[in-house]
Amino acid sequence: MDISKGLPAIQGGLHIWITENQKMVPVPEGAYGNFFEEHCYVILHVPQSPKATQGASSDLHYWVGKQAGAEAQGTAAAFQQHLQEELGGQTVLHREAQAHESDCFCSYFRPGIIYRKGGLASDLKHVETNFFNIQRLLHIKGRKHVSATEVELSWNSFNKGDIFLLDLGKMMIQWNGPKTSISEKARGLALTYSLRDRERGGRAQIGVVDDEAKAPDLMQIMEAVLGRRVGSLRAATPSKDINQLQKASVRLYHVYEKGKDLVVVELATPPLTQDLLQEEDVYILDQGGFKIYVWQGRMSSLQERQAAFSRAVGFIQAKGYPTYTNVEVVNDGAESAAFKQLFRTWSEKRSRNQKLGGRDKLIHVKLDVGKLHTQPELAAQLRMVDDGSGKVEVWCMEDLHRQPVDPKHHGQLYAGNCYLVLYTYQRLGRVQYILYLWQGRQATADEIKALNSNAKELDVMYGGALVQEHVTMGSEPPHFLAIFQGQLVIFQERAGHHGKGQSASTTRLFHVQGTDSQNTKTMEVPARASSLNSNDIFLLVTAGVCYLWFGKGCNGDQREMARVVVTVISKKNEETVLEGREPPHFWEALGGRAPYPSKKRLPEEVPRFQPRLFECSSQMGCLVLAEVVFFSQEDLDKYDIMLLDTWQEIFLWLGEAASEWKEAVAWGQEYLKTHPAGRSPATPIVLVKQGHEPPTFTGWFFTWDPYKWTSHLSDTEVVEGSPAAASTISEITAEVNNFRLSRWPGNGRAGAVALQALKGSQDSSENELMRGPKSGGTRTSSSVSSTSATINGGLRREQLMHQAAEDLPEGVDPARREFYLSDSDFQDIFGKSKEEFYSMATWRQQQEKKQLGFF
């Protein structure tokens, strides 16, 4: 293939090539997600918009099948290298091995990856098959990233902990192991539906065996094909997922040549800093042996860059790591988000990355509440749902119970206490809530426990609608400061009767931080000269006077806010003091003069790390995360607990059917504790429930549909689908009877008559395996279901639209009446092809059918 001629046609999106006769040929889009184990593939992902999660970098993957030969591997490797040279340095390279792919790779293929046995015929353009003339068994496994592997058509392939799909062309039976979770079952079913829609054009019946005793008819079909099961099922296979503690082990190595030898020298362990990477060198970063990164400096030689993969492979062999260990090669200035977040800090060097900036300026602009409500991306960047002008209620934990705080003392918090702060506001005509759980540094373990239990009680009182944000003293988010309008004061001692602190000293020093009502807080600090700072303002309260000390570096806005704070802290006579003109009594109150920071403070750089989304689960008591790269709202499933890391905050999204809500906060804390970059444990953790997402969360998604989860579809419709939802089990039984199963011989194998009945009549419409279902045209088929037989050319639209189920033509399935339209009528009414329609989420299909009279 001529690379230079092929590249101009490459636009944003996904492109896949497969090895065939010592060359690479493109894979049709309809076959994406199918991988033959005797082949190698090259996958290129090009961001489709400036807001793409990976920035402007493309991702180039080299995938090796388990049975791929040296010739195929060489062809794919050469093609990848040529493609890389044409694409330039803004490309991240990946080496992938079958069944051990990176999260980035798996994120392209939803609802899952299909591994197919063997290889393809020599001329792909003429490889055709009858999709209904098939018998195979697929082993489905995985949580967020699902894969299906063709296995032996035998009961010996089954185990109690996974899902298996018996695919008989016209009938697809999903068998759920007794140890599988409800989320695994739902995701397995999503993959089953995808196979049905892509490979059968939606014309196959689906049955689900969740309890063998309750599905005798489906089990009869399975036993007709697989024979009687002898003995018990194998136990569930233990998961080998890498937990966060293992991923926290990171080591940086310097790689260079000395004569004919390759030298690898360990350079550093966490916390890593970016300045360790020199632009003229090449480095290997080993993340717990589960992933190997190769970083190439922009001034490194061409020879070094071309040898990146071979050096990584040599390193893997020297360490004794598995041959399937994932490898990612990143270039200076085009690093992936996952690589950058292995370092404590990261400063963008390339001008292209500066486009992600602008947040520094946004922080100082006067807030426009209307824009925060209509532009969730702005709310997310500023961490502000509004300007803080909503209703505020405060409770203090006293004797392990919550006691309301008098409004005149709102904003006066004590380091030895814990507080609940409930904020109520309206957004787009809807009342919403944020409950802040503020934890003082000197609070006891019992008080922290009481804080959490009281928060749960309040959440129940408000019908589960509270967004709960855990805040540690000293790390308050901007919106928390804004709701106190610049008058937040944190006292060091513990409150007795709230509002009357128990001070052991008559001299107290307060540090005023901030420039306006939306970012100002005042904290009590040790009353000594070394606590001062030339860039800020301090309030010194003595027995007879209150000194307002202005450092040389403070500005007019700071001074105005400080004068407001004085009235909250002290009613004594106020005396303004400028740095360098302090009266003797000022220094005497602080115990004498002492050095303090006086250099001009540079503006703090706002972190620009890209947000990352992970699915959370637990294995042997340890947190396991699966990242979803290029994420969207579709990646949030009601069975999930998802962690969104925006660097400044950790969001934990709780699906309405998730079973491990109690673990969520602990998982967020473990994530911070084990993060290779040495994250602050005081980073705010926000609990967000499905259907109650604030704009500070939704703004990190490219698009967000606030009505996505308001559809009144039942759990059965969404999760179980047809035929369990569309036809009911009794109707499945009626369809099973059409198979006319014969009794099996005594040896347990299915008889010839039974197998022939299962195969059914041949479909006269043949499709290319590589092309998937074709758009347009009319299909004729003899379906498994007598109620699914289609009429050549389709039924008239008036026979199907706005009709009661009993008034439909004989043989029409009421739940899929739209399918009986001709392709041209379907396109005219729905504005899309049947293939496009059935690739949509089930809830969206139902929504359109209701609107158009097909429900």
Side-chain angles (χ1 to χ4, degrees):
M1 178 181 178
D2 187 338
I3 304 295
S4 61
K5 291 182 180 179
L7 276 180
I10 293 180
Q11 299 175 347
L14 197 63
H15 308 271
I16 303 179
W17 294 266
I18 183 175
T19 53
E20 188 242 340
N21 289 339
Q22 301 183 26
K23 63 180 181 180
M24 303 297 295
V25 296
V27 175
E29 189 172 345
Y32 284 6
N34 292 273
F35 293 89
F36 287 85
E37 60 184 14
E38 290 184 4
H39 290 266
C40 290
Y41 293 74
V42 171
I43 297 92
L44 171 64
H45 177 264
V46 180
Q48 293 181 296
S49 76
K51 288 189 177 182
T53 308
Q54 287 287 74
S57 296
S58 299
D59 288 272
L60 188 59
H61 303 257
Y62 161 53
W63 185 91
V64 181
K66 285 183 177 178
Q67 303 299 323
E71 186 178 275
Q73 294 185 40
T75 300
F79 181 81
Q80 184 199 40
Q81 186 168 331
H82 286 308
L83 201 54
Q84 176 198 357
E85 292 171 358
E86 293 292 333
L87 291 167
Q90 302 300 314
T91 306
V92 177
L93 306 180
H94 307 258
R95 191 191 72 160
E96 312 281 359
Q98 181 179 341
H100 299 281
E101 294 85 359
S102 65
D103 287 340
C104 179
F105 183 93
C106 294
S107 296
Y108 303 137
F109 307 105
R110 302 172 183 132
I113 295 172
I114 312 295
Y115 301 123
R116 299 192 181 276
K117 287 184 176 180
L120 292 170
S122 58
D123 188 352
L124 294 178
K125 293 182 180 179
H126 297 89
V127 175
E128 295 182 346
T129 184
N130 187 327
F131 280 110
F132 290 92
N133 186 19
I134 188 173
Q135 283 189 21
R136 64 177 176 177
L137 182 64
L138 294 176
H139 179 190
I140 300 175
K141 61 189 305 182
R143 292 180 60 90
K144 201 64 179 178
H145 300 311
V146 179
S147 66
T149 307
E150 285 190 45
V151 293
E152 180 187 0
L153 201 63
S154 165
W155 283 113
N156 294 330
S157 299
F158 287 67
N159 69 64
K160 296 179 181 179
D162 292 325
I163 293 169
F164 293 82
L165 177 64
L166 181 60
D167 184 0
L168 303 174
K170 298 176 182 179
M171 187 73 181
M172 306 174 82
I173 303 176
Q174 177 174 315
W175 182 94
N176 297 328
K179 299 295 184 181
T180 52
S181 67
I182 189 169
S183 63
E184 290 173 315
K185 295 172 185 177
R187 285 166 187 157
L189 194 59
L191 181 58
T192 297
Y193 272 107
S194 176
L195 283 170
R196 191 272 308 271
D197 294 339
R198 288 196 298 168
E199 298 188 6
R200 313 289 147 74
R203 296 172 297 164
Q205 285 284 15
I206 293 175
V208 178
V209 178
D210 202 41
D211 182 340
E212 292 184 352
K214 295 181 179 179
D217 300 307
L218 296 177
M219 286 303 298
Q220 188 179 10
I221 296 175
M222 294 185 71
E223 291 183 340
V225 177
L226 303 171
R228 288 180 186 261
R229 189 168 67 221
V230 179
S232 58
L233 292 165
R234 290 186 294 114
T237 305
S239 174
K240 296 181 180 179
D241 293 331
I242 307 296
N243 62 49
Q244 286 308 104
L245 195 58
Q246 292 169 286
K247 292 181 180 180
S249 175
V250 175
R251 294 179 183 273
L252 183 66
Y253 297 85
H254 181 205
V255 184
Y256 62 94
E257 292 182 350
K258 188 174 182 180
K260 294 183 179 180
D261 297 325
L262 182 66
V263 180
V264 179
V265 179
E266 184 173 334
L267 192 63
T269 56
L272 302 179
T273 55
Q274 188 180 2
D275 57 10
L276 291 168
L277 305 175
Q278 301 299 310
E279 62 181 14
E280 64 274 6
D281 290 325
V282 174
Y283 300 85
I284 285 179
L285 195 152
D286 179 0
Q287 189 176 14
F290 114 93
K291 187 164 188 174
I292 303 299
Y293 294 90
V294 180
W295 184 87
Q296 303 178 134
R298 70 185 72 178
M299 301 302 293
S300 59
S301 67
L302 177 61
Q303 182 180 2
E304 286 181 309
R305 291 196 293 272
Q306 290 177 338
F309 272 120
S310 61
R311 287 183 176 180
V313 170
F315 180 85
I316 289 170
Q317 292 172 344
K319 286 285 189 178
Y321 295 153
T323 56
Y324 55 73
T325 301
N326 187 259
V327 176
E328 181 174 313
V329 179
V330 296
N331 293 312
D332 186 358
E335 297 85 356
S336 65
F339 179 84
K340 288 187 283 191
Q341 289 195 15
L342 295 174
F343 293 77
R344 180 180 286 278
T345 58
W346 192 273
S347 176
E348 303 292 356
K349 297 177 180 178
R350 300 287 187 182
S351 58
R352 70 170 187 89
N353 289 316
Q354 298 305 322
K355 295 177 183 178
L356 296 172
R359 294 185 201 173
D360 294 336
K361 296 180 180 179
L362 291 172
I363 295 294
H364 304 296
V365 174
K366 182 175 177 58
L367 289 179
D368 183 325
V369 179
K371 286 186 177 180
L372 289 176
H373 286 177
T374 59
Q375 299 178 25
E377 65 275 13
L378 182 63
Q381 290 178 3
L382 295 178
R383 304 167 66 192
M384 299 283 287
V385 297
D386 65 2
D387 61 357
S389 58
K391 179 184 176 183
V392 181
E393 298 172 81
V394 182
W395 294 267
C396 177
M397 295 300 107
E398 294 180 5
D399 298 324
L400 306 184
H401 297 285
R402 63 180 183 274
Q403 298 296 332
V405 176
D406 191 310
K408 68 182 180 180
H409 295 305
H410 282 184
Q412 299 176 30
L413 309 182
Y414 292 81
N417 291 81
C418 292
Y419 296 82
L420 290 171
V421 180
L422 178 61
Y423 182 76
T424 306
Y425 66 106
Q426 286 201 356
R427 179 174 180 266
L428 303 180
R430 178 183 173 188
V431 177
Q432 293 186 299
Y433 308 94
I434 301 176
L435 180 65
Y436 291 100
L437 291 76
W438 188 90
Q439 178 182 322
R441 286 178 184 163
Q442 300 168 24
T444 66
D446 286 341
E447 287 173 320
I448 296 172
K449 184 177 180 180
L451 177 72
N452 292 318
S453 62
N454 276 270
K456 291 177 183 177
E457 289 179 11
L458 278 177
D459 190 42
V460 171
M461 290 171 57
Y462 282 82
L466 304 185
V467 172
Q468 299 179 43
E469 181 155 2
H470 291 252
V471 178
T472 302
M473 173 179 159
S475 298
E476 293 80 8
H479 187 260
F480 185 84
L481 303 180
I483 63 179
F484 295 112
Q485 301 298 309
Q487 299 185 42
L488 175 63
V489 180
I490 302 173
F491 298 89
Q492 283 297 330
E493 80 277 6
R494 181 180 179 81
H497 177 64
H498 198 272
K500 296 181 180 180
Q502 301 167 346
S503 177
S505 172
T506 57
T507 301
R508 309 173 73 178
L509 183 64
F510 295 86
H511 182 190
V512 184
Q513 308 168 52
T515 58
D516 57 43
S517 62
Q518 282 138 10
N519 69 1
T520 295
K521 67 179 174 182
T522 302
M523 293 186 66
E524 186 173 3
V525 295
R528 52 176 177 259
S530 59
S531 298
L532 300 175
N533 189 308
S534 293
N535 296 280
D536 294 321
I537 296 174
F538 289 81
L539 181 64
L540 178 62
V541 181
T542 68
V545 68
C546 176
Y547 294 104
L548 189 56
W549 185 86
F550 293 141
K552 292 179 180 179
C554 66
N555 57 40
D557 290 335
Q558 288 176 285
R559 294 179 182 182
E560 288 300 316
M561 282 309 306
R563 296 190 188 280
V564 173
V565 174
V566 169
T567 61
V568 176
I569 296 176
S570 175
K571 304 299 182 183
K572 298 177 181 179
N573 293 329
E574 175 192 330
E575 183 175 328
T576 300
V577 176
L578 300 179
E579 183 180 7
R581 299 181 182 179
E582 301 87 353
H585 183 257
F586 179 89
W587 295 116
E588 290 173 6
L590 291 175
R593 291 177 179 269
Y596 58 84
S598 58
K599 290 184 178 179
K600 183 175 178 59
R601 184 169 55 215
L602 297 175
E604 184 178 351
E605 183 179 355
V606 178
R608 293 181 179 135
F609 286 110
Q610 295 164 357
R612 300 174 69 193
L613 183 70
F614 303 88
E615 181 210 31
C616 300
S617 62
S618 181
Q619 179 181 307
M620 302 295 288
C622 294
L623 175 64
V624 175
L625 298 179
E627 183 172 8
V628 181
V629 188
F630 320 109
F631 61 81
S632 68
Q633 187 181 3
E634 291 295 324
D635 295 305
L636 304 178
D637 185 89
K638 71 176 184 177
Y639 301 106
D640 290 335
I641 292 181
M642 304 295 289
L643 187 152
L644 178 65
D645 182 3
T646 67
W647 200 259
Q648 292 181 295
E649 287 177 313
I650 301 295
F651 289 93
L652 283 153
W653 183 88
L654 310 177
E656 64 180 10
S659 60
E660 298 175 291
W661 279 26
K662 294 180 180 179
E663 306 293 332
V665 175
W667 283 350
Q669 293 168 342
E670 183 179 349
Y671 174 78
L672 292 170
K673 182 179 178 180
T674 59
H675 199 286
R679 302 283 289 279
S680 169
T683 303
I685 296 175
V686 188
L687 293 186
V688 177
K689 300 186 194 70
Q690 181 178 351
H692 298 283
E693 297 83 2
T696 47
F697 176 83
T698 64
W700 294 109
F701 291 75
F702 183 56
T703 59
W704 187 270
D705 178 3
Y707 306 106
K708 174 175 169 58
W709 294 305
T710 59
S711 173
H712 296 292
L713 298 176
S714 69
D715 289 351
T716 302
E717 290 175 307
V718 176
V719 179
E720 294 180 346
S722 64
S727 308
T728 75
I729 290 294
S730 62
E731 291 174 325
I732 296 176
T733 305
E735 301 304 329
V736 169
N737 291 334
N738 291 335
F739 285 113
R740 300 175 183 176
L741 299 174
S742 65
R743 293 185 178 275
W744 45 79
N747 63 4
R749 296 184 60 83
V753 176
L755 292 178
Q756 184 61 39
L758 283 169
K759 289 181 181 177
S761 59
Q762 299 251 329
D763 189 328
S764 61
S765 173
E766 295 187 342
N767 297 291
E768 293 183 9
L769 175 60
M770 292 293 293
R771 296 189 185 280
K774 296 179 182 178
S775 298
T778 304
R779 306 178 189 276
T780 59
S781 69
S782 176
S783 175
V784 174
S785 169
S786 62
T787 62
S788 298
T790 58
I791 300 173
N792 189 24
L795 296 173
R796 296 191 307 275
R797 63 177 71 187
E798 57 268 22
Q799 293 179 280
L800 302 169
M801 296 176 68
H802 306 292
Q803 297 291 330
E806 60 270 19
D807 296 329
L808 291 170
E810 184 178 356
V812 170
D813 181 355
R816 290 174 58 81
R817 64 182 72 189
E818 77 286 348
F819 182 76
Y820 301 87
L821 291 167
S822 68
D823 288 350
S824 59
D825 277 352
F826 193 98
Q827 181 75 42
D828 181 50
I829 295 171
F830 285 86
K832 57 178 71 68
S833 68
K834 290 180 181 178
E835 285 75 20
E836 291 173 318
F837 178 79
Y838 290 120
S839 67
M840 291 164 45
T842 305
W843 68 269
R844 195 177 290 278
Q845 292 180 31
Q846 303 282 34
Q847 196 175 54
E848 289 198 13
K849 286 162 65 173
K850 286 180 180 179
Q851 293 173 349
L852 297 172
F854 286 88
F855 194 80

